[in-house]
Amino acid sequence: MGWHDYQALKEVSQANRAFYEAFSAGDYEAMVELWLDEDSIVCVHPGGEVLQGRLKVHGSWRAILSDESQMQISLVDAQFQVAGEVAWVTLTERLHYGPPEDRRQAETTATNLFQKRGGRWWMVLHHAGPLARRFFEPEE
């Protein structure tokens, strides 16, 4: 693996971290800034339909991030892959949400797809679904 590959992995890791920081902070403006500004973007939230295009994707994040109870997210077993101008991250999300007196936890599996344009990695797809069973124990 060459220097450019390591640099790309570092940049994708930073973009992925920024996504989860915006998510955890409930920061809608930061979330929108991470997504490619095109109608080809796609988002699938756990149990939800496929949302394509800026209006639907941004609208879904506005609704999710407007919830008053902040969500804490920890990531498990993140795997990063880069192929030219496209990169993807697969991982398990551990979500802690709800008011302090009734804190809940859920696990989802997710794939985040990034595309490099103009020297920057942009989110083009987030697909998360509930984790119903495990074949192997997670690597922490």
Side-chain angles (χ1 to χ4, degrees):
M1 183 178 279
W3 180 86
H4 291 289
D5 297 325
Y6 285 117
Q7 184 64 25
L9 285 171
K10 179 181 174 186
E11 292 169 0
V12 170
S13 176
Q14 290 169 341
N16 195 66
R17 184 172 38 258
F19 171 77
Y20 286 103
E21 287 172 354
F23 195 172
S24 292
D27 189 339
Y28 172 74
E29 296 300 325
M31 176 62 74
V32 169
E33 179 61 29
L34 299 168
W35 287 82
L36 185 64
D37 190 25
E38 290 189 2
D39 280 329
S40 60
I41 61 174
V42 176
C43 191
V44 180
H45 298 290
E49 74 271 27
V50 175
L51 303 172
Q52 182 164 355
R54 289 175 286 214
L55 288 177
K56 289 181 179 179
V57 171
H58 294 179
S60 72
W61 285 111
R62 183 181 301 281
I64 289 168
L65 299 176
S66 68
D67 185 355
E68 293 297 317
S69 60
Q70 279 197 331
M71 191 173 302
Q72 295 175 324
I73 305 169
S74 57
L75 309 179
V76 180
D77 198 25
Q79 303 291 317
F80 296 83
Q81 301 292 325
V82 176
E85 304 296 304
V86 176
W88 58 98
V89 183
T90 56
L91 53 98
T92 298
E93 303 168 333
R94 286 194 180 144
L95 310 167
H96 304 273
Y97 60 95
E101 65 276 4
D102 187 27
R103 213 64 181 145
R104 297 174 187 218
Q105 180 176 325
E107 285 189 320
T108 60
T109 58
T111 301
N112 297 324
L113 183 67
F114 297 89
Q115 184 177 26
K116 191 168 190 178
R117 293 241 189 120
R120 178 178 164 187
W121 289 97
W122 298 91
M123 170 106 30
V124 294
L125 174 128
H126 171 71
H127 186 171
L131 178 59
R133 68 178 177 156
R134 291 188 185 280
F135 291 103
F136 307 100
E137 288 302 311
E139 297 175 22
E140 301 216 26

